[in-house]
Amino acid sequence: MNSFKLLVLGVFVLVLSSCSSVRVAADYDKDANFDSYNTFAFFKPGIDKAEINDIDKKRILRAIEAELTAKGFTKSENPNMLVSIFTKTKENVNIYNNNLGYGGWYGWGWQPFYWGTGYNTVSSTTEGTLYIDFIDADRKELVWQGMGSAALVNSNNIERKEERIKEIVKEIIERYPPGSYKN
């Protein structure tokens, strides 16, 4: 019985940790000199195209600015790196079939006769993907792109929503510069 309780606890912890995880990836230009980038500005034409409301854009941009500043970057009117964002969302629908009922002995063996009713549980989650692009300001070329995908939180809880955005941005920016991320 104790092993069963441990198994249930293990599954519960796994489910909780998977709900809060952010899947992150990054790609970059091998020929770019990342040591030369120390100032940044936001690339307004790219940010304006992001399909997200203006309040969430502000949240994302504030989180990016905080993370870059923590890495030693300075926001500048004459930057050597431009920052842009792009977003995508998709709805995941999960259907769980719960066929609960009763079985019993009948004749010479176990017969799976059932009475009662089963029920279906339907749930949905929205998964968001945030792309953060770093563009060489002089050449106007993409030099680094980070991407993070995660389940989004209920928009009614503003504090939790802002925390989630900060978490996603932090995990993406941790992958910059290339080669700095330790698994």
Side-chain angles (χ1 to χ4, degrees):
M1 191 64 166
N2 282 339
S3 61
F4 178 73
K5 288 179 182 177
L6 267 167
L7 178 65
V8 170
L9 179 64
V11 169
F12 182 70
V13 168
L14 182 65
V15 168
L16 281 181
S17 65
S18 68
C19 291
S20 66
S21 68
V22 179
R23 291 180 315 281
V24 180
D27 196 7
Y28 64 96
D29 179 355
K30 292 187 314 185
D31 297 328
N33 179 7
F34 293 98
D35 293 332
S36 68
Y37 302 118
N38 54 15
T39 59
F40 74 97
F42 292 109
F43 185 61
K44 187 169 173 20
I47 292 168
D48 286 344
K49 292 178 185 176
E51 295 180 9
I52 190 169
N53 71 57
D54 288 343
I55 295 171
D56 285 339
K57 277 184 194 177
K58 288 178 186 177
R59 289 182 177 117
I60 292 169
L61 298 179
R62 282 192 298 260
I64 292 171
E65 185 172 344
E67 291 298 322
L68 288 178
T69 301
K71 283 190 172 277
F73 284 85
T74 305
K75 194 171 181 182
S76 171
E77 293 291 325
N78 190 19
N80 49 28
M81 183 174 74
L82 300 172
V83 179
S84 187
I85 62 170
F86 177 76
T87 59
K88 283 193 216 180
T89 59
K90 74 176 183 179
E91 191 77 18
N92 294 325
V93 177
N94 302 307
I95 301 172
Y96 301 99
N97 189 351
N98 301 306
N99 288 324
L100 300 176
Y102 300 96
W105 289 100
Y106 181 76
W108 289 98
W110 178 259
Q111 299 294 318
F113 62 91
Y114 289 96
W115 63 89
T117 59
Y119 61 93
N120 293 327
T121 304
V122 179
S123 67
S124 66
T125 57
T126 301
E127 181 176 88
T129 302
L130 171 64
Y131 294 86
I132 301 175
D133 295 340
F134 292 167
I135 302 161
D136 184 290
D138 294 331
R139 296 182 296 150
K140 303 292 189 261
E141 292 179 0
L142 180 67
V143 293
W144 184 88
Q145 182 178 67
M147 180 271 307
S149 294
L152 302 179
V153 298
N154 184 342
S155 62
N156 293 335
N157 187 337
I158 294 169
E159 290 80 21
R160 179 64 187 122
K161 186 177 188 181
E162 189 153 347
E163 286 174 27
R164 188 67 166 158
I165 287 172
K166 287 178 183 178
E167 176 188 5
I168 294 167
V169 168
K170 179 179 176 65
E171 291 204 28
I172 294 170
I173 300 290
E174 280 180 352
R175 301 287 175 125
Y176 183 87
S180 67
Y181 181 73
K182 307 286 187 260
N183 286 330

